[in-house]
Amino acid sequence: MLAGPTAVGKGTVSTCVREHHPDVWLSVSATTRAARPGEVDGVHYHFVDDARFDQMVAADELLEWALVHGRARYGTPRRPVEEALAGGRAALLEIDLQGARQVRRTMPGALFVFLAPPSWDELVRRLVGRGTETAEERGRRLTTARDELAAEPEFDVTIVNDDVQRACAELVDRMGVVA
Ligand code: 5GP
C-alpha cells in the first residue's frame, strides 16, 4: 500500500513499478474526476460518472473509497485485489491517506508505505511545476498535503522520493519482490 502527500510523486513511482516490475500487480482505481491528457481509461484509472460510483459503493464493490481534495471520489475495486492476492501476487495500491486508514482496518496485514518528499519546499515546487491545476486547486492540495505529511508515523515504512528509480527499487524491495 503506497500513500503519501499529494504531488509527492506516487504516480511516477507507480509508473516505474508498472514498467519495470511486471511481477507486481497494480490496482486500477475508479475515479469520478476527468482524465488528464495521456491518461487511459482502464490503465491509469477507471473513469466513471457519479451514478456509477454510487452504484459501486452501494454494491460494496470497493475495498475503500474517499473524497479526495474535496472534489472527486476515488476507490479501489475490491475483487481484482482479492484475486491478485489469492493468486499469490504482490499487489500495490496507490491511494490517499483516508483510503489507507480504511484498508488498515480491513487488511491489517498489509504493508503500509509512506512516500515522503525530500522537503516541504520540494513538495510545493513539484505541485506548482505540474501545472495541471488552477491556483485555487493548488491551494486546496497544499492544505491536504500538510495534513497528510503529519500522518507519516502511522505507516510501517517511509520511503523518500529523492529519485524515482531509487524509490521504485526500494519499494519493490520492501514488498519482497525480487528485482
Ligand atoms: P490524482 O487525481 O492526482 O490522480 O490523485 C489524487 C489523489 O487520489 C492521490 O493522492 C491518489 O493517491 C489518490 N487516489 C488515487 N486512487 C485512489 C483510490 O483508489 N482510493 C483512494 N482513497 N485514493 C486514491
Side-chain angles (χ1 to χ4, degrees), residues 10-20 26 44 94 168:
K10 296 192 294 290
T12 35
V13 171
S14 303
T15 300
C16 172
V17 173
R18 181 186 291 121
E19 287 172 358
H20 299 289
L26 255 91
H44 299 96
E94 185 237 296
C168 169

Side-chain angles (χ1 to χ4, degrees), residues 21 23-24 88 90 111 113 169-179:
H21 300 278
D23 38 344
V24 175
L111 178 72
V113 179
E170 187 179 349
L171 176 62
V172 294
D173 183 53
R174 292 287 197 163
M175 290 177 73
V177 175
V178 180

